Amino acid sequence: MIVRFNIDTAGQDQFDYRVTHEGEELYGDAGLDSLEQCITAALEGLGSDAVAAEVAYQGIISGTYALASLALMSAQIAEHAVQTTAAIEEVLR
């Protein structure tokens, strides 16, 4: 199964995340300090059925990653999500 990590800002320097599968929320948390922490926390709650995750920041999907890649490169993936969302938002203005 491929899940989605939906990450949003939750105030100044605070983030929250929800892990969903086919639109159904599986679990989540709020008040984390960074996107990277959201990715790490989301990974920790996954069961063995998941093989990959889409990462979406502020509603914009930045990519689909194998779980091993998410674990090894969470900082780079978090930065890519920020850059992707910023680029899309710039075009939409």
Side-chain angles (χ1 to χ4, degrees):
M1 123 172 102
I2 298 174
V3 297
R4 180 176 293 169
F5 295 173
N6 298 289
I7 304 170
D8 289 299
T9 54
Q12 188 175 10
D13 298 324
Q14 294 287 298
F15 300 87
D16 62 13
Y17 75 90
R18 294 177 298 112
V19 176
T20 61
H21 179 255
E22 295 183 354
E24 181 180 331
E25 186 170 334
L26 303 175
Y27 58 93
D29 198 1
L32 285 85
D33 294 330
S34 69
L35 267 77
E36 184 179 3
Q37 284 184 352
C38 289
I39 292 170
T40 300
L43 279 168
E44 290 173 355
L46 286 177
S48 60
D49 290 345
V51 296
E54 295 176 334
V55 175
Y57 177 52
Q58 296 181 345
I60 298 171
I61 298 171
S62 60
T64 304
Y65 305 93
L67 297 185
S69 295
L70 282 163
L72 291 173
M73 302 185 328
S74 59
Q76 293 90 339
I77 291 169
E79 181 61 30
H80 182 258
V82 169
Q83 292 172 351
T84 300
T85 297
I88 297 295
E89 288 177 345
E90 181 67 28
V91 171
L92 293 175
R93 289 184 198 165

